[in-house]
Amino acid sequence: MAALDRANEPQTPVQLRPRIPSGDNSVWADVSPLLHAACQDLQEGDLIHGDNFNLYAAMSALEIMDPKMDSGMASTYYSLDEAIEKGAAPVPISADKTTDVRCIIDIMDHLLACEATWHKGHSLAQTVYSCLYLLRPERTSSHVLLHSYCQVIRATCKAVLSVVADARTHEEEDLFVMAYGLPLSGDGKERCLPLLNAVEETICRQLRASKTSSSKRRVSEDIEPLQNNPDLEEGYCKALLCRLRFRKHFYHLLMSMKRPQGGGLELAREHIASCISEIGHIRKSSDFLRASAPEMSEKNVENTTASGCQPIGFDASLNSRLSAPTPPRAIKIFCLEKALEYFVKLLHDLDVICSYSLDPSLEAALLFVVKFQKSQPDLISRAHLQLLLVQNGKLFGRYPMFSMITRAAGLPEAAENHEFQKNQLMVQLEQMVINLLKIICTNAAWQRRKLGKMLQDLRVIHVQLELAFKKEFGNTSNNENIGFKIFQHILVWLEEQTYWIAFRFLTVGFELELYADHDYCMVYWYIYIVLINLAEKKHLRIAMSSGAGKKKTKKKRDSLKDGGMNYQISDAVKFLQSQIYLAEGLGMMLAALRNECKIVPPQSPFSTEHEIFIQQFDLLLKACLPESISYQTYKESTAQANFSTLAMCDYFKVAHKMAKELKGNFANDPDTMAELGRIEQVAERNNIALTVISRLGSADPSMKISFTLCHHPFFATAIVKRS
Amino acid sequence: METTNNKDEPEICKLDFNDSDIEYISYGGEHHLPLIMNLVDEELSEPYSIFTYRYFVYLWPHLSFLAFHKGRCVGTVVCKMGEHRNTFRGYIAMLVVIKPYRGRGIATELVTRSIKVMMESGCDEVTLEAEVTNIGALALYGRLGFIRAKRLFHYYLNGVDAFRLKLLFPRPEMHTHSDHGDSQILE
């Protein structure tokens, strides 16, 4: 700044006026001599800084001209204008119409590859918008084919971007939604489809004309062919048509899915089917395109175009200055085949969402999302699901959350409009359920962190509700009062829900590979504890809604597992029981292996198993899930485990038997059937492993035991080998 | 931040040297900085500016160590510590051992020295990030008692996820009950 103010220096030939005039309290002064003097005193590594600038702030500095840091450094062109001037993106691409069409198909293919790469978490500027034709919408207007394609790409990007931005999927979205300085909406959606349709129709006619003989053509239709070579006309027409139609249906699909209250899902499914069919045609066109390329290329898995040629008009470095002020991220654009695979998966995932019955049940919605997440859907489909689930604070935009909660809690319909829904705690609870629905749509890493944090909030609201309940009704039991019932049911439902989240929190840890082998023992033990509580609350909730609520307010933890109850246990609870036995069996088998020194935990110089336990279950322990659980409880319940007693306990046999028997009750529920099958398999294999270990004697030094998750996402199977 | 990747270790030809030939030195001043920067720039994927290095070594020189073999710097660890949400937390920013010297416990020794200083300085816990694909580093920290507390999606510039690793130091009140048998805590 000091250098700016040289206006008063008589020896300065160029008179510069300060941009900011001196004020009443400030005056411009030349500090160059002061800086110069200060430099003389500086040692290497010294830093001159203001009070508000520290070493931590200095860390955000980027070093210019370091290729690892300076994302603007490796540009081929200084500006878009320069790139255009030097012919990097000519319009038309070639004066020869055949070459022009061939190059346009390459551009379309490379754009599709870029689009898939963008969806997978890279910046828009460095993927799709590395296409120079997209950056200047007006430049392509003379070339109707290229123009229509660029328009629909821009509109599609805008639509996808808004879905992800609205869903606020956080860490994934950071890079994804960054679109500063990119011409996304220049054309407006209203014009993108008519032009595309017109182009499609023209090419349709050209295709028809190409199939008739040249003499007939002149008579029947006065159609200018797509390009000059009659032998290639049909192939190029077909290759273009499937690409254009894919774009059209994909755009329609996005618009249909956006309709409020899931109103466009059926229509969306039709467009999904069309998109998948067009992808098939794109694949089929690749042999023709490769054969028609100027240089015959081998089928290369790395190619981003079907022809195998490099596309014209792309430069990823040009936009790098539009990226956030961070070092450049490595981007490898998908090859065309991988991009097509990505889109097929995306379309299948969207189809699963569109096929959902929009059942007005919270439990069904939660289970649907959990099942959906098993196929590891990507960001775009998860964002769509989230926006479908929660609209205007209602489930699917249709059902108020309070009535969904009362239904889930097994309350009669009369409760749905009770004034209790205006209660501040209920409003909070509704918000938490909305958050839960959103959280379980996010990626597993983010989801687990958020679920963990949510546990404590749910416990706090449970305590508050309990206090409000006592204040309102004291210790009297007033089963006929609807207010009393609402409190009572919601409290039980909330506990069940909290344990369900805790269970999910623990099991997602396997998917994220957060547990080391030597932590498995405590993890299964904790899963067992959480499952017991979950089963107990679920049973209580089901029993309450069927009117048997009074009987079971007090009972021992293990009474449920032992089946020592004098009323019927539902299938849903029996299903949990089979998981309880499996978790307990695994916990005890691992404890026996530890106690008999077949698994040796690391001997850290800095911490003990106690600290590991506290860290692994910190959030559960803080939320008292359940109360009075500590490292001591874990130690005490696993200290005595050994193989001679373990074989007698039959955990795996019972789990296997229960799962097998239950299959008959879930004949109409393929998902639960599949899960029961997996439980059966893991239980059976672990039972065999246990028998082998017991027979050989765990002292056998040649015996090696390891665990695998190949039969179930979180219940491990033991593998016994003798070396 | 990061730790050097050990997974390609078997392919590297190992040098023959005695463990006692390795000399460990605490960060001693600006003359050590180029040595640290060279190692990190060469071995780690993330770029760091000179300001990042200075932030660490100027504010916490006693937490950074260098390993030398016959005058050549073969490994280094750079750390910090400070308040983090009501806890006093140590943080391991960079850990590097050059390939020919890996698998001999140099990284463990370097990081152990830093952790000891953190513990003596009153830290409650130590954290760091490591690439989920960095099996060597994950095993090293696992042996020292670190758990994988979180997975961080696409954390690194190369697109790889990270694990946030955490080591909790024992607190006296936690060990009031008998914890015999597994408490070779501290030396």
Side-chain angles (χ1 to χ4, degrees), chain A residues 696-721:
Chain A
L696 293 176
S698 59
D700 183 348
S702 67
M703 188 168 64
K704 295 273 176 287
I705 299 147
S706 58
F707 286 85
T708 170
L709 290 170
C710 63
H711 300 296
H712 193 280
F714 51 87
F715 285 125
T717 308
I719 298 172
V720 186
K721 279 185 185 156

Side-chain angles (χ1 to χ4, degrees), chain B residues 121-167:
Chain B
S121 312
C123 283
D124 304 301
E125 59 184 16
V126 184
T127 68
L128 66 115
E129 292 90 32
E131 288 186 17
V132 295
T133 50
N134 192 344
I135 297 159
L138 295 174
L140 184 159
Y141 290 114
R143 287 194 294 274
L144 292 173
F146 282 82
I147 69 144
R148 300 171 193 178
K150 287 174 187 175
R151 191 176 177 120
L152 307 167
F153 185 80
H154 285 199
Y155 180 79
Y156 291 105
L157 292 173
N158 59 13
V160 176
D161 288 1
F163 283 127
R164 162 91 27 85
L165 303 181
K166 256 190 191 180
L167 170 72

Side-chain angles (χ1 to χ4, degrees), chain A residues 446-484:
Chain A
W446 179 267
Q447 185 186 145
R448 187 175 194 268
R449 266 141 64 194
K450 290 287 153 189
L451 289 180
K453 281 184 186 158
M454 193 174 206
L455 289 171
Q456 218 159 345
D457 298 342
L458 287 169
R459 286 311 272 185
V460 169
I461 202 157
H462 186 267
V463 169
Q464 288 174 330
L465 271 171
E466 220 167 26
L467 284 173
F469 184 36
K470 279 185 187 148
K471 200 175 152 198
E472 186 99 1
F473 295 99
N475 289 324
T476 55
S477 170
N478 189 356
N479 239 350
E480 299 313 309
N481 182 306
I482 185 75
F484 180 92

Side-chain angles (χ1 to χ4, degrees), chain A residues 45 56 58 63 68-69 171-172 329-330 445 449 512-513 603-608 610-611 614-615 631, chain B residues 41 44 47-51 55 144 148 151 153-154 156-157 163 166 168 170 174-175 179 182 184 186:
Chain A
Y56 185 75
E63 275 179 57
K68 265 178 153 185
M69 288 226 189
E171 59 183 10
E172 284 181 288
R329 293 185 82 97
R449 266 141 64 194
L512 297 172
E513 300 170 357
Q603 303 294 308
S604 160
F606 298 110
S607 68
T608 67
H610 191 160
E611 281 74 42
I614 290 175
Q615 289 192 86
Y631 176 65
Chain B
D41 280 352
L44 300 187
Y48 302 109
S49 75
I50 187 154
F51 300 108
Y55 168 68
L144 292 173
R148 300 171 193 178
R151 191 176 177 120
F153 185 80
H154 285 199
Y156 291 105
L157 292 173
F163 283 127
K166 256 190 191 180
L168 181 68
M174 264 167 35
H175 290 270
D179 247 10
D182 55 0
Q184 315 88 354
L186 332 185

Side-chain angles (χ1 to χ4, degrees), chain A residues 376-390:
Chain A
Q376 304 194 316
D378 290 304
L379 176 62
I380 313 300
S381 54
R382 283 189 281 104
H384 274 287
L385 176 57
Q386 189 192 308
L387 292 183
L388 172 68
L389 284 174
V390 183

